Amino acid sequence: SNAFDSSNGALITNFVAAAYEQSNACMSCGPPSDFGYLEGASGSTFPVTLDVFSVVTCMAVNMGLLSPFSLVEVEVFGDYETYGSLVLYSSTYYYPKYPSMKPLICFSNSTFRLFKCVIRQTPYIYALPLFNHLGNNTEFPQPCDCSKLTEEDLISPYAPCNRFSFLTGFLYYTVPFPYNFFNIIKLMEAYEFNNYALNRAAFNASFVNSYFGQHSPYTETFNSPAYRRAIYDFCVIDGLPCSIMTTTVFDTHQYNWAITEYYFQLAQGACRDTMTIPEDKWDAIVATPYAPLIQSYQSCGTSPSVIWFTQLGVQVGNVS
């Protein structure tokens, strides 16, 4: 079962421990004990909580959409240390817009030209958030490729790539700290710290782990050892593949495309940047604004004689 607490951004998924342990796909992500479950002491279920505020902030920083200088440092996580060929500084941060979020663990070089973050999913799991659109197919992993979509797909708000169906979750390594943290840094380095490319590389595995992947007619193929090795090949570090836990978010009956509190509608979001104002449009606004950008203002000045008599009157009044 799933629940979302909008007050603190917590997306909670409750797993039945016995069913989880019988699932090869789930156990490949690590045993329930990795998520705090203690057999005999935690009942028959255990929750996995995804802090959406932390995920969104971490993704925005890693993709270059949010400046590191927008974050507030909480405490130093580690002084400058050597990670392979890199010398990095690590610390914990939060974004003031989400004061209730779990702090991010971020690492940077001395110039801040390199600045990336991970989330602390549990006291023992350091993870890299992932976020992808479900894609153009609900039975087989097929990402939305703008160069292959028809005009009909782009226009229809009900086309798969325009629907609000997403794959979110986190990638991590089932090794003790600090090696799980080091492995994520090594993985990012393997992709030259291009988190767009890394996020895309995780699409197939995220889809297979999703609700749609596990209810697809191809599920048996997806769960075969050979197929799973292939889709996790992108994240093998020192011979160890990563684990990915995916939460599928989708509307069962989509009729509202509002994406802001002001009900801004994004009915045709696929392959269309409706948020950024193109440079030529900015130029047009400056060249032919709808209203004058500069106005002439009149200023009133006081003559020297008026100033002299005014000050004289003030001084006389103060003395008397």
Side-chain angles (χ1 to χ4, degrees):
S1 63
N2 293 281
F4 180 66
D5 184 346
S6 59
S7 63
N8 58 17
L11 180 60
I12 304 170
T13 302
N14 289 297
F15 289 93
V16 177
Y20 183 101
E21 291 174 338
Q22 292 171 7
S23 166
N24 291 331
C26 289
M27 287 302 287
S28 295
C29 286
S33 57
D34 281 357
F35 303 98
Y37 175 76
L38 297 175
E39 188 173 1
S42 302
S44 59
T45 64
F46 66 96
V48 174
T49 302
L50 191 64
D51 186 335
V52 175
F53 293 160
S54 294
V55 168
V56 169
T57 303
C58 191
M59 290 291 298
V61 171
N62 289 345
M63 298 268 187
L65 303 174
L66 181 67
S67 168
F69 300 105
S70 299
L71 305 180
V72 175
E73 188 173 24
V74 180
E75 63 177 337
V76 175
F77 184 70
D79 205 347
Y80 284 99
E81 297 183 23
T82 301
Y83 301 89
S85 61
L86 301 170
V87 179
L88 301 175
Y89 168 88
S90 52
S91 188
T92 55
Y93 295 83
Y94 81 97
Y95 186 33
K97 183 177 181 179
Y98 305 125
S100 64
M101 66 177 278
K102 292 181 180 179
L104 306 178
I105 294 87
C106 304
F107 57 90
S108 62
N109 59 10
S110 58
T111 63
F112 270 63
R113 291 179 65 86
L114 171 64
F115 191 98
K116 300 292 181 180
C117 301
V118 300
I119 60 174
R120 196 173 188 176
Q121 183 57 33
T122 73
Y124 310 105
I125 295 178
Y126 291 79
L128 180 68
L130 300 171
F131 189 88
N132 277 293
H133 189 276
L134 174 65
N136 202 25
N137 194 310
T138 58
E139 296 183 350
F140 198 84
Q142 182 182 346
C144 293
D145 185 337
C146 296
S147 65
K148 297 180 180 178
L149 293 180
T150 65
E151 189 62 27
E152 182 180 357
D153 290 331
L154 293 173
I155 293 175
S156 172
Y158 295 97
C161 292
N162 280 325
R163 292 180 65 86
F164 290 168
S165 302
F166 303 104
L167 309 174
T168 186
F170 53 90
L171 174 158
Y172 66 102
Y173 289 88
T174 55
V175 291
F177 177 81
Y179 302 105
N180 50 10
F181 183 56
F182 295 167
N183 280 5
I184 292 178
I185 295 177
K186 290 179 180 179
L187 178 64
M188 288 192 191
E189 186 177 19
Y191 283 84
E192 300 180 341
F193 296 98
N194 182 340
N195 281 72
Y196 280 99
L198 177 52
N199 195 65
R200 286 194 300 268
F203 173 79
N204 286 355
S206 297
F207 180 92
V208 167
N209 294 338
S210 72
Y211 169 87
F212 293 97
Q214 292 302 305
H215 290 81
S216 164
Y218 304 102
T219 300
E220 186 175 349
T221 299
F222 293 160
N223 289 336
S224 67
Y227 192 92
R228 296 188 73 84
R229 277 196 301 271
I231 61 176
Y232 280 91
D233 185 61
F234 79 96
C235 63
V236 174
I237 296 294
D238 298 334
L240 177 70
C242 67
S243 295
I244 294 177
M245 181 164 284
T246 302
T247 298
T248 315
V249 183
F250 61 96
D251 288 335
T252 53
H253 300 289
Q254 184 164 328
Y255 58 90
N256 184 346
W257 289 266
I259 60 170
T260 73
E261 59 185 315
Y262 303 109
Y263 297 99
F264 178 84
Q265 301 287 306
L266 189 65
Q268 299 169 329
C271 307
R272 299 176 189 271
D273 184 357
T274 60
M275 308 294 285
T276 304
I277 299 178
E279 188 173 350
D280 62 323
K281 302 300 183 185
W282 271 119
D283 292 340
I285 291 175
V286 173
T288 56
Y290 68 92
L293 301 180
I294 300 175
Q295 286 186 330
S296 299
Y297 288 89
Q298 293 183 345
S299 59
C300 297
T302 305
S303 65
S305 60
V306 173
I307 295 175
W308 191 87
F309 282 111
T310 300
Q311 292 299 318
L312 179 62
V314 170
Q315 297 301 324
V316 171
N318 289 338
V319 171
S320 60

